[in-house]
Amino acid sequence: MKALFEVMRPGDPDWALAESIDAARLPKHIAIIMDGNGRWARKRSLPRVAGHRAGVEPVRLTVETCARLGIDALTLYAFSSENWKRPRGEVDTLWRLLRFYLRREAPDLMKNNIRFNALGRLEVLSDQVRRELDETRRMTSGNTGLRVNLAINYGGRTELVDAMNAIVDEARSAGRLDALAVTEEMIEARLYTAGLPDPDLLIRTSGEMRISNFLLWQIAYAELYVTDTLWPDFGRKDLLEAVLAYQGRDRRFGGLSTAAKGSQEDDSLAEALGVSLR
Ligand code: FPP
């Protein structure tokens, strides 16, 4: 977290927010559905692509802030498998912006010790895009800090289908298809996110209350945080606010909160009512 204060000054609006964050309870993995680029542009009577262009800087700033905060992993939803339905010009712009980002940010990824990866059905992307994604991945593979994942041509259902097919194919090749019994561990090991912890915090910008086919398996117990801020306006303050909100949550993973677990009140009440559940 110390590294975060190096890029802020006391008195900055973000300073007090950063000071309120408990460095010992940071989310390990933050996932973000970056939404609202089109609306940001429309509000300014600009073409939608201007919103995407304005969305590049928040990507840079969010990556840098997560690295300086000491977050382990950040996964950004950059292009869904459904985004191909958009007009050709918009899709082309998104690919151009991705390549621009990779080229421009490579030195900073190295400087900030960031590991880059891309998640999704990448085999259908153009050779050029795949080559650049691969180069960035290879170049940063020796880094040990924040793991940044861009979800590209990503769909949560497709990811699960790919994982299941991989399990079936492997069992068939090993001649063990008849005895195949699928477990959670087997699925997890074949997801695009294998080896990453599940997201603790899922942020969505622009106020939409949807998951949009993002990390369906992995967000089973993620804390959800939706902000009305449109992605091009998403700044350090918004990220810190989301982390603070996360730290205010009572994470139970289907169990009880520590307070409820310690309370005798429920047992006494059940006894008084003659309710026995044991
Ligand atoms: C959603 O806004 C955003 C996207 C589909 C793409 C995200 C792309 C960027 C942030 C640009 C740069 C990305 C990288 C990785 C360099 P929307 O167009 O659905 O907005 P709307 O709902 O207001 O129409």
Side-chain angles (χ1 to χ4, degrees):
M1 264 205 75
K2 218 173 79 213
L4 181 61
F5 289 101
E6 286 167 12
V7 288
M8 295 189 297
R9 276 192 237 116
D12 277 357
D14 307 347
W15 184 276
L17 278 173
E19 276 192 326
S20 315
I21 288 176
D22 178 354
R25 288 193 305 120
L26 289 169
K28 280 194 168 40
H29 185 174
I30 299 179
I32 307 186
I33 302 177
M34 308 182 288
D35 195 14
N37 295 355
R39 275 162 285 168
W40 183 94
R42 204 176 325 124
K43 272 168 71 179
R44 290 161 178 76
S45 308
L46 293 169
R48 291 179 53 79
V49 290
H52 296 315
R53 231 172 272 137
V56 177
E57 176 54 20
V59 171
R60 192 203 64 73
L61 185 65
T62 301
V63 168
E64 187 202 321
T65 307
C66 283
R68 289 180 178 274
L69 255 179
I71 305 292
D72 287 353
L74 170 70
T75 301
L76 300 170
Y77 205 1
F79 193 93
S80 80
S81 38
E82 286 76 37
N83 284 156
W84 294 107
K85 294 177 199 152
R86 295 188 176 205
R88 177 75 193 268
E90 183 172 339
V91 171
D92 287 349
T93 299
L94 284 168
W95 294 120
R96 261 200 304 277
L97 288 174
L98 171 68
R99 294 179 50 220
F100 164 77
Y101 170 81
L102 293 176
R103 252 173 284 144
R104 195 190 62 174
E105 290 307 308
D108 271 10
L109 294 176
M110 294 308 290
K111 194 179 83 195
N112 292 316
N113 194 24
I114 293 168
R115 276 171 284 180
F116 172 88
N117 198 15
L119 314 173
R121 272 199 181 161
L122 307 178
E123 57 279 9
V124 301
L125 305 183
S126 73
D127 288 349
Q128 210 170 26
V129 170
R130 266 192 305 158
R131 206 171 34 244
E132 291 183 31
L133 288 171
D134 213 43
E135 266 167 33
T136 312
R137 190 183 53 73
R138 262 188 290 126
M139 183 187 72
T140 61
S141 62
N143 292 343
T144 54
L146 175 72
R147 284 180 285 183
V148 168
N149 310 297
L150 284 189
I152 299 171
N153 193 28
Y154 175 89
R157 288 185 175 181
T158 308
E159 179 182 30
L160 284 167
V161 168
D162 286 351
M164 301 296 179
N165 278 324
I167 292 170
V168 170
D169 287 349
E170 287 164 37
R172 188 182 292 116
S173 311
R176 289 205 220 105
L177 198 52
D178 285 352
L180 178 62
V182 178
T183 64
E184 289 193 11
E185 290 72 23
M186 287 163 74
I187 295 171
E188 261 156 21
R190 286 154 186 90
L191 295 175
Y192 307 147
T193 52
L196 285 171
D198 284 345
D200 304 292
L201 171 62
L202 172 67
I203 300 173
R204 181 166 191 148
T205 59
S206 89
E208 302 290 348
M209 302 286 181
R210 281 191 295 275
I211 299 301
S212 300
N213 202 15
F214 190 41
L215 302 176
L216 294 179
W217 176 280
Q218 298 88 334
I219 60 163
Y221 289 102
E223 294 295 327
L224 307 185
Y225 179 87
V226 176
T227 170
D228 285 336
T229 303
L230 304 176
W231 178 252
D233 293 326
F234 190 85
R236 189 183 287 133
K237 172 177 159 287
D238 300 277
L239 181 68
L240 297 179
E241 280 173 351
V243 171
L244 271 173
Y246 164 82
Q247 294 193 329
R249 303 277 176 91
D250 179 18
R251 300 193 78 197
R252 304 186 202 166
F253 300 96
L256 293 180
S257 64
T258 324
K261 255 190 265 175
S263 151
Q264 298 300 310
E265 269 169 41
D266 252 22
D267 284 354
S268 321
L269 183 61
E271 210 174 296
L273 295 172
V275 180
S276 173
L277 300 174
R278 297 181 193 188

